[in-house]
Amino acid sequence: MKAVLILFFSIISFVASAQASDIEMADQFRADGKIYVVIAVVSVVLIGLFAYLFRLESKVSALEKRSK
């Protein structure tokens, strides 16, 4: 449990420090309006990943029930 909390807080601090710096590429994407395309692609990938994981979990649950 401690390791999970340490990892979580490390990621949070990394994200916070990354947001504080100026990233020229992100500014250019925002200026061109392409940031919305990036957000859409990342969203689609994450939704697909979560859908796959939920489907996989239901299949594993069905197999566990069948094996008992």
Side-chain angles (χ1 to χ4, degrees):
M1 184 66 180
K2 272 187 174 180
V4 172
L5 286 174
I6 290 171
L7 180 64
F8 176 73
F9 288 124
S10 298
I11 291 172
I12 294 295
S13 66
F14 176 73
V15 169
S17 67
Q19 290 177 352
S21 64
D22 292 328
I23 301 173
E24 294 176 17
M25 182 180 64
D27 292 336
Q28 187 64 37
F29 275 154
R30 251 182 262 130
D32 294 341
K34 294 179 182 177
I35 194 71
Y36 300 111
V37 175
V38 172
I39 292 171
V41 169
V42 169
S43 298
V44 167
V45 168
L46 286 176
I47 289 170
L49 180 64
F50 286 129
Y52 172 73
L53 289 175
F54 285 126
R55 185 171 167 223
L56 185 65
E57 193 272 332
S58 66
K59 286 183 177 184
V60 168
S61 296
L63 284 172
E64 286 175 348
K65 286 180 184 176
R66 194 170 64 173
S67 69
K68 288 183 180 179

